[in-house]
Amino acid sequence: MANISARTLHILAALVWYAGGIVLLLKGGSLLAEAEALEPERLWPWLAGIFGLCLGGLKARFIFGRSIKRNLARIAALDPRRVWQFFSPGFFVALAVMIAAGASLSRLAEGSYPFLIAVGVLDLSIAVALLGSSIVYWQRKAFAHQGNGLSLGQ
C-alpha cells in the first residue's frame, strides 16, 4: 500500500474533528430546544447554552488544542503513513465509546427537563471545544502541501 502524505492524514483528522463538532452542536441545541418545549419561558435552557459555550471555549484552549498538536506531531513521526492512521488506534476506541455514551445519554434524557439541560450543556461544550480548537490545524498550516508522500489521488 502506498505511503500517504501527512497533509492527507491532517485533512482526514480535521474532517472527523469538524463533523463531530457540527453533529454535537446540532444535537446539543436540539436537546436544549426540547427542554424549552417541555417548560417554556424558563431561562435554564438559555443559561445552559451560554454556560456550554463558555465551558467549550475553555476546553478548546486547554485540552482539545493540545490533543490536535499531539496528533499532528504523531502523524509527522509516522513512516510509512497509512490512510487509517489519521488518529491513533486508542483514539478510535475512545471515539466509539464516546459516541455510544452520547447516544445513550440522549435517549435517557428524553422527557426529563434537568437531564436534557445537562446533556445539552455537555454536547454544546464538546462541540465548541472541537470547533474552537480546530484553529490549531490552521495555525500549524496542517493543510499546506508539503510534497512528502503520496496524495490520495496518486
Side-chain angles (χ1 to χ4, degrees):
M1 178 155 253
N3 191 27
I4 299 295
S5 72
R7 177 179 180 256
T8 298
L9 294 181
H10 295 167
I11 290 168
L12 291 171
L15 286 173
V16 170
W17 206 258
Y18 279 113
I22 292 166
V23 166
L24 286 171
L25 186 66
L26 295 172
K27 186 172 160 265
S30 175
L31 292 170
L32 293 178
E34 187 178 338
E36 170 67 24
L38 276 178
E39 296 188 24
E41 299 184 24
R42 292 194 64 189
L43 286 179
W44 286 113
W46 295 101
L47 295 174
I50 292 167
F51 179 68
L53 295 174
C54 294
L55 183 60
L58 292 172
K59 287 181 186 180
R61 176 137 169 82
F62 296 109
I63 300 170
F64 285 53
R66 288 183 180 146
S67 178
I68 292 173
K69 290 173 188 174
R70 281 192 306 271
N71 194 46
L72 292 175
R74 184 191 62 79
I75 289 170
L78 292 172
D79 186 34
R81 292 182 197 98
R82 303 293 183 232
V83 71
W84 59 84
Q85 294 177 308
F86 57 92
F87 288 124
S88 68
F91 184 88
F92 284 115
V93 171
L95 184 61
V97 169
M98 288 184 284
I99 290 170
S104 296
L105 286 172
S106 294
R107 276 193 299 276
L108 290 171
E110 288 178 11
S112 170
Y113 186 82
F115 208 20
L116 286 167
I117 299 281
V119 179
V121 166
L122 177 67
D123 286 350
L124 274 182
S125 70
I126 295 170
V128 170
L130 288 167
L131 296 172
S133 65
S134 68
I135 194 165
V136 171
Y137 287 114
W138 301 98
Q139 290 170 336
R140 297 286 173 110
K141 297 180 176 28
F143 310 124
H145 188 60
Q146 297 150 350
N148 56 346
L150 296 175
S151 296
L152 276 177
Q154 297 178 327

